[in-house]
């Protein structure tokens, strides 16, 4: 059971946005935040790396750039820089949309953008060496180990929503922003070793990765259904205290649980399909490599047989 805490009326009033519409999502967009600046800088650095490769005459797949800038950085911007941010402490359903995008959608496409590979191909010698040292450090190996990443990915939402921590993040803007960053990092730690294209130590074979991805599906179902069926409001009396006449906190909580349930299953199953495609392509590349090696061995054998004694 969640404890019901008193809400400062002044704090609640300043947190109450206008009725949720497409128009307010556009008008409440903020482009002067530190997060907006960070997204622009990340996009600029990535594009500069692609530009350097092209100046050198090297090729960089367009799909990777599209993935990184579009659903990757663009997905983060959609739920944090756009007007949705004005509702993330007023509507649990909007917060759950942020949760899904920041922890599942955006990290997947950031991983498919292969930014680490791009950095290793464009950085000077010393920064490249430092990056490799970090990637192969003991701490990185521990957190990127699939079972550790899986545990963090699965346990974190339950710790957040079924404790007073969630209420704390509603009352303190800095904590709420920290949760956003945590969602992104948790998603990256989980999905990068499974779907990412960057070179990582200790990466599991595809069958094991597919199994781990499949095991993650039920947890979002359980969490979503638990939220939908909960007899208490998440955040205590925070949402009722906002006095939003245009939304029922109980109905919104049911919607929030449905978003987490359906969205989690859809993303997990879709990414499982992506993983299977990667697995098939890797098998085809390996088969072609073996064929080429067999052809070379056969050619060497014919040359040896044709040589005069």
């Amino acid at each position: 059971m969640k404890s019901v805490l008193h809400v400062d009326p002044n704090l609640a009033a300043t947190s109450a946005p206008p009725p949720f519409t497409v128009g307010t999502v556009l008008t409440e967009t903020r482009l002067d935040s530190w997060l907006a600046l960070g997204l622009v800088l990340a996009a600029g650095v990535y594009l500069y790396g692609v530009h350097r490769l092209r100046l050198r005459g090297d090729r960089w797949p367009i799909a990777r750039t599209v993935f990184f800038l579009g659903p990757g950085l663009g997905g983060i911007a959609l739920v944090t820089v756009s007007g949705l941010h004005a509702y993330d402490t007023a509507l649990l359903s909007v917060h759950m949309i942020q949760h899904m995008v920041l922890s599942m959608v955006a990290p997947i496409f950031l991983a498919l953008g292969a930014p680490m590979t791009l950095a290793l191909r464009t950085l000077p010698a010393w920064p490249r060496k430092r990056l490799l040292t970090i990637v192969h450090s003991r701490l990185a190996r521990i957190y990127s180990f699939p079972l550790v990443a899986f545990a963090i990915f699965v346990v974190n939402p339950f710790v957040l929503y079924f404790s007073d921590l969630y209420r704390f993040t509603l009352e303190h803007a800095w904590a709420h922003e920290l949760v956003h960053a945590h969602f992104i990092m948790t998603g990256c730690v989980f999905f990068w070793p499974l779907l990412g294209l960057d070179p990582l130590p200790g990466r599991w074979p595809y069958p094991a990765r597919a199994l781990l991805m499949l095991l993650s599906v039920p947890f979002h179902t359980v969490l979503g259904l638990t939220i939908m069926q909960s007899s208490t409001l998440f955040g205590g009396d925070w949402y009722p205290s906002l006095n939003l006449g245009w939304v029922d906190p109980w109905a919104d909580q049911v919607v929030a649980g449905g978003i987490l349930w359906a969205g989690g299953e859809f993303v997990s199953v879709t990414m499982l399909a992506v993983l299977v495609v990667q697995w098939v392509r890797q098998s085809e590349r390996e088969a072609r490599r073996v064929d080429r090696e067999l052809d070379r061995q056969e050619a060497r054998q014919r040359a040896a047989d044709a040589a005069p004694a």
Side-chain angles (χ1 to χ4, degrees):
M1 296 288 292
K2 293 182 179 297
S3 59
V4 177
L5 304 178
H6 175 69
V7 178
D8 183 345
N10 295 325
L11 178 61
T14 58
S15 303
F20 185 86
T21 65
V22 174
T24 54
V25 169
L26 296 176
T27 57
E28 294 291 330
T29 297
R30 58 173 182 178
L31 299 177
D32 57 348
S33 67
W34 64 268
L35 183 56
L37 177 61
L39 292 173
V40 171
L41 288 176
V45 170
Y46 190 94
L47 289 174
Y48 177 69
V50 174
H51 175 66
R52 286 196 60 183
L53 281 182
R54 290 181 177 176
L55 288 179
R56 236 166 41 192
D58 293 338
R59 178 181 173 274
W60 184 255
I62 295 177
R64 294 185 184 181
T65 303
V66 172
F67 286 151
F68 188 84
L69 298 181
L73 296 182
I76 297 174
L78 178 64
V79 296
T80 58
V81 176
S82 76
L84 284 177
H85 85 278
Y87 298 90
D88 61 2
T89 58
L91 295 174
L92 182 61
S93 57
V94 170
H95 172 79
M96 287 305 173
I97 293 173
Q98 289 181 321
H99 179 146
M100 294 300 304
V101 173
L102 295 179
S103 67
M104 297 190 73
V105 178
I108 289 169
F109 288 99
L110 292 177
L112 293 176
M116 192 181 303
T117 300
L118 180 62
L120 291 174
R121 292 180 61 181
T122 55
L123 285 174
W126 186 84
R128 186 189 309 119
K129 183 178 179 180
R130 293 297 301 170
L131 178 59
L132 286 172
T133 300
I134 294 173
V135 171
H136 293 280
S137 66
R138 176 175 294 182
L139 186 62
R141 287 176 179 271
I142 292 174
Y143 278 98
S144 63
F145 183 68
L147 287 180
V148 174
F150 176 76
I152 295 173
F153 183 76
V154 168
V155 170
N156 273 345
F158 289 91
V159 173
L160 174 64
Y161 297 123
F162 294 96
S163 71
D164 289 331
L165 180 59
Y166 180 62
R167 174 59 178 265
F168 184 83
T169 66
L170 293 174
E171 296 175 336
H172 300 84
W174 65 267
H176 203 73
E177 296 293 334
L178 189 61
V179 166
H180 289 169
H182 182 69
F183 280 157
I184 297 172
M185 289 187 293
T186 301
C188 288
V189 166
F190 179 64
F191 287 108
W192 224 288
L194 297 182
L195 296 169
L197 305 177
D198 288 319
L200 294 174
R203 177 165 282 175
W204 280 9
Y206 278 101
R209 288 192 240 171
L211 177 61
L212 201 61
M213 182 73 74
L214 190 62
L215 290 176
S216 70
V217 177
F219 290 96
H220 282 93
T221 301
V222 171
L223 181 58
L225 289 175
T226 302
I227 292 174
M228 293 175 70
Q229 298 172 359
S230 176
S231 59
T232 58
L233 281 175
F234 284 70
D237 63 343
W238 171 268
Y239 293 111
S241 70
L242 297 179
N243 295 316
L244 302 179
W246 45 271
V247 64
D248 176 13
W250 289 100
D252 184 64
Q253 182 163 297
V254 173
V255 173
I259 290 172
L260 195 59
W261 173 22
E265 287 198 354
F266 175 78
V267 174
S268 296
V269 172
T270 301
M271 289 306 102
L272 181 61
V274 172
L275 189 62
V276 170
V277 170
Q278 290 182 343
W279 184 2
V280 170
R281 289 181 177 177
Q282 192 271 343
S283 299
E284 291 174 346
R285 288 194 298 269
E286 181 64 19
R288 289 194 295 268
R289 186 192 66 80
V290 171
D291 288 342
R292 289 194 297 268
E293 178 61 27
L294 291 175
D295 289 341
R296 285 192 292 267
Q297 292 179 6
E298 185 177 350
R300 288 195 295 268
Q301 184 63 41
R302 286 200 301 266
D305 294 340

